[in-house]
Amino acid sequence: MDIVKRLVHRWPLMLIALVCGVLAAMVDALKDEDKLVFSLIYLFHALIYTLAFCVLAKIGESVLAWLGRDREISASSVGSKGKRWFTYESTATQLCLVAAVMFLCWVPYLVITYPGVLWYDTQQQLLQWFKLPNLFNDGSHLSDHHPVLDTAIYGLFVDLGNLLGSGDFGLFLLSLLQALVMAFSLSAVVLYCRHIGLTRRFCVAILAFFALFPIVPVYTITLAKDSLFLPFCIWFSLVFIETARSKGQVLKRPLILAIFIASALLMAFTKKTGVYIVLLSCVLLLFFLPRKGRMRTGCVALVTLLVMALFNGVVLPAAHIAPSGKQEMLANAFQQSALVMKRRGNEIPKDDRKVLDAMLGHNAGDRYAWGTVDPVKGFSWSARQNDDLSAYLKVWAKEAFQFPGTYLEAYLSLQRGWIGVPDARDGNNTGDLLMTVQAQDVGHVFKGSEKFGLSALGHGGLRVKLENAVRWFAGSPFGMLIFARAFWALWLVVFVLYECLRRENGHVAWLLVYLVTFLTLWISPISANNEAMRYLITMVFLAPLALAATIAPNSSATRDAEACA
């Protein structure tokens, strides 16, 4: 009877596990058959994945319980020196000490990847800055396809490097600066966890995670817009959680309110989805705040909205900067239409086919590729497409009812990286369903780079060894769990939300930034290649704060709110 009662009590967890298991099995079918197939073998896969999720959830609960139990440490059992060095109290000394530990652990990555890991998108941004032909235009003007602030930062650091004698060195300085800023930002996360009542054991665990998990340092120093975005997202999340924790009272402090607004704006300016994360998180938070605590939070959202509207509507045209195209927002819809044209093209009415051809170009079905939408959507948006958008959306909606299975297949294929379970028998999983680090083939030498002072190849041998070492560990039995993209993109998220909701003092409001970021994953134009990692890393960096929300005590929240008032 006890077992039955436990199962009944845990039915939400079992339902969540079943959904995750079925989704993972569907990805298996797509990988094996190149289409959705429902059979006994994939039903068996779903059951195995469901059981695995339940087991991992049980282990996760035990780990959280262990992290939440602080060992009684007496003065006689621990030397005063150890206690003096790592108290995790909210002081400048502790902030610098924890940041120093992190940064020292990251130094080998800075040395190995010298003069910096420069991603393909960043290369295109630099070509724009230096008025050279690039993926988006002929170099005659800038584009906001990738945030123009990011483009300016990269270009200015190359200019600085050239003044110092080497454009390569300028980008290395940016990598170094990113590492320093992130070390202090993540140090603030560690100290904040102690501030809200979490144990020293928990603080030690997340410090070790930030310092030693290779995904953290590699993507901290990577020169990509998502890495620039990360510290601002961390600052925004910390103030956001404290706002929820204090019922909005903390925003009565002008400095805290200024940090909240500044971090929100910087999120919006450094990553396209940043503005949506800010706006939706703040709006949802209003439902958790008392009436008197809503005004300042609402102002943060309003200021962000107005500034971005002014920037996009006035500043970009005045500066002759091309705006980003709508094709990025429509990526999943375009992919679904392309697969319908490929699989069911002879069933599409002639008038509807004309609309699809006008939007996607002829032979979009032939350009369909399961893992990326770039061949279908392209890299630009024309006035003609803008005029045809309304007609296209009508056809897309109509075909959703005609071909739901095809639409589902196209969507799951594009998002399979977030839901598929790695299989040790599949040698391609390293770049497919497992998280990867990029250290080679993303250097400073590319077509046109010599024209603005970039020429360094870096330590090729060391970069290869770094990638191979991470790939080897990720392919091990334990590594396949913690490096699985689905672990960070889906399984951990639903586990944290479940744990938070089932606890009497669960802090759901604290999770809003994490959950809204999670939602942005599911409009990604890619998920199962190296480039897709940049969409996922924010979830990795926010995970410790999400775990903190599940076990943080509630006893001091009222006292802190009163103190803020």
Side-chain angles (χ1 to χ4, degrees):
M1 287 298 293
D2 288 341
I3 295 177
V4 174
K5 288 181 180 179
R6 290 177 185 175
L7 291 176
V8 171
H9 179 66
R10 291 299 185 94
W11 72 264
L13 176 63
M14 297 177 67
L15 179 60
I16 291 170
L18 181 60
V19 171
C20 291
V22 169
L23 288 172
M26 293 171 76
V27 168
D28 285 351
L30 288 171
K31 288 168 54 185
D32 296 342
E33 311 291 340
D34 198 29
K35 61 182 179 179
L36 284 177
V37 174
F38 299 94
S39 65
L40 288 177
I41 184 64
Y42 296 116
L43 175 61
F44 178 71
H45 284 201
L47 293 175
I48 292 296
Y49 294 144
T50 300
L51 178 61
F53 185 96
C54 291
V55 171
L56 289 174
K58 181 61 179 175
I59 294 173
E61 289 175 357
S62 299
V63 170
L64 287 179
W66 179 78
L67 290 173
R69 289 197 301 268
D70 217 353
R71 292 173 294 180
E72 291 295 330
I73 304 177
S74 64
S76 60
S77 61
V78 177
S80 59
K81 183 176 180 180
K83 198 171 183 180
R84 183 175 66 250
W85 278 104
F86 288 96
T87 63
Y88 300 106
E89 295 172 355
S90 299
T91 65
T93 300
Q94 287 295 302
L95 182 72
C96 292
L97 179 61
V98 174
V101 170
M102 271 188 232
F103 184 79
L104 288 174
C105 290
W106 297 349
V107 166
Y109 295 93
L110 282 164
V111 173
I112 290 172
T113 61
Y114 181 87
V117 179
L118 193 64
W119 278 33
Y120 178 77
D121 286 350
T122 310
Q123 295 173 1
Q124 301 306 306
Q125 289 174 268
L126 285 172
L127 289 171
Q128 280 189 37
W129 181 259
F130 291 100
K131 298 180 172 56
L132 295 171
N134 56 85
L135 188 63
F136 306 103
N137 56 54
D138 60 1
S140 60
H141 60 276
L142 291 175
S143 167
D144 195 48
H145 178 91
H146 299 302
V148 70
L149 176 62
D150 299 344
T151 301
I153 290 173
Y154 298 134
L156 289 172
F157 268 88
V158 172
D159 287 336
L160 174 62
N162 285 325
L163 287 175
L164 298 175
S166 169
D168 296 306
F169 183 69
L171 289 180
F172 175 72
L173 288 178
L174 179 56
S175 291
L176 185 63
L177 180 60
Q178 286 183 185
L180 288 169
V181 171
M182 277 304 298
F184 279 98
S185 301
L186 297 180
S187 177
V189 171
V190 175
L191 301 191
Y192 184 72
C193 288
R194 184 59 178 165
H195 170 71
I196 61 178
L198 292 168
T199 66
R200 288 185 177 86
R201 181 181 287 173
F202 186 91
C203 295
V204 171
I206 63 170
L207 171 57
F209 170 76
F210 287 141
L212 302 177
F213 190 46
I215 296 296
V216 174
V218 170
Y219 286 96
T220 286
I221 62 179
T222 291
L223 297 175
K225 55 182 176 287
D226 300 80
S227 297
L228 281 178
F229 166 84
L230 280 172
F232 309 130
C233 186
I234 294 295
W235 302 343
F236 178 83
S237 299
L238 289 172
V239 179
F240 187 95
I241 292 173
E242 189 62 19
T243 301
R245 182 171 176 265
S246 67
K247 304 299 182 183
Q249 296 299 315
V250 72
L251 296 184
K252 289 184 176 180
R253 302 178 184 177
L255 177 60
I256 301 299
L257 180 59
I259 293 173
F260 203 19
I261 294 173
S263 58
L265 290 173
L266 287 168
M267 283 176 65
F269 276 115
T270 54
K271 188 175 178 179
K272 291 298 181 181
T273 56
V275 65
Y276 304 113
I277 295 172
V278 168
L279 295 179
L280 186 54
S281 298
C282 287
V283 169
L284 291 176
L285 182 59
L286 297 180
F287 293 97
F288 293 88
L289 297 177
R291 186 174 61 182
K292 292 183 179 179
R294 294 173 187 167
M295 182 177 296
R296 292 177 180 84
T297 301
C299 283
V300 174
L302 183 60
V303 168
T304 303
L305 181 62
L306 292 176
V307 169
M308 294 310 297
L310 179 66
F311 178 75
N312 291 317
V314 178
V315 176
L316 291 182
H320 304 290
I321 298 172
S324 59
K326 296 178 181 177
Q327 75 277 3
E328 300 301 322
M329 298 177 61
L330 296 167
N332 284 276
F334 284 180
Q335 190 80 336
Q336 290 166 330
S337 295
L339 186 58
V340 167
M341 295 170 76
K342 178 180 181 179
R343 293 271 174 85
R344 316 291 288 272
N346 59 337
E347 301 175 42
I348 302 175
K350 185 177 296 185
D351 290 342
D352 291 350
R353 184 64 182 246
K354 289 181 179 178
V355 172
L356 294 175
D357 286 342
M359 178 59 64
L360 304 178
H362 293 286
N363 303 318
D366 296 335
R367 287 181 274 117
Y368 173 85
W370 69 263
T372 176
V373 74
D374 284 350
V376 174
K377 71 175 178 62
F379 301 98
S380 61
W381 182 259
S382 66
R384 178 187 54 77
Q385 285 178 300
N386 208 53
D387 294 337
D388 294 337
L389 181 57
S390 178
Y392 166 73
L393 291 176
K394 290 178 182 178
V395 172
W396 175 81
K398 183 174 73 173
E399 291 185 342
F401 291 97
Q402 290 180 284
F403 311 111
T406 307
Y407 269 39
L408 178 62
E409 180 181 331
Y411 181 75
L412 290 179
S413 293
L414 208 56
Q415 309 300 334
R416 71 169 68 179
W418 312 145
I419 53 183
V421 174
D423 186 346
R425 298 169 299 174
D426 185 355
N428 295 323
N429 266 331
T430 298
D432 188 354
L433 302 179
L434 292 176
M435 295 198 299
T436 57
V437 298
Q438 293 195 74
Q440 57 176 326
D441 298 328
V442 282
H444 290 196
V445 177
F446 53 96
K447 185 177 180 180
S449 63
E450 72 283 353
K451 296 181 180 179
F452 46 88
L454 299 186
S455 59
L457 289 170
H459 306 301
L462 292 177
R463 292 186 182 210
V464 171
K465 289 179 180 178
L466 172 60
E467 283 194 10
N468 288 341
V470 174
R471 185 179 295 112
W472 171 82
F473 183 67
S476 67
F478 177 70
M480 289 184 70
L481 170 62
I482 62 172
F483 279 84
R485 298 186 189 202
F487 176 81
W488 300 95
L490 180 61
W491 288 33
L492 183 60
V493 180
V494 295
F495 167 74
V496 164
L497 183 59
Y498 166 77
E499 285 294 309
C500 204
L501 289 174
R502 80 181 186 91
R503 295 166 186 255
E504 292 183 4
N505 65 333
H507 308 294
V508 178
W510 300 16
L511 291 174
L512 289 176
V513 177
Y514 181 64
L515 295 177
V516 172
T517 304
F518 162 73
L519 293 178
T520 65
L521 280 181
W522 302 94
I523 57 173
S524 301
I526 49 175
S527 68
N529 62 16
N530 289 336
E531 187 73 16
M533 273 300 301
R534 61 187 181 85
Y535 297 109
L536 183 60
I537 55 173
T538 306
M539 297 297 296
V540 177
F541 280 76
L542 291 180
L545 278 173
L547 292 172
T550 66
I551 60 175
N554 201 37
S555 58
S556 60
T558 302
R559 183 180 69 249
D560 288 353
E562 292 173 352
C564 289

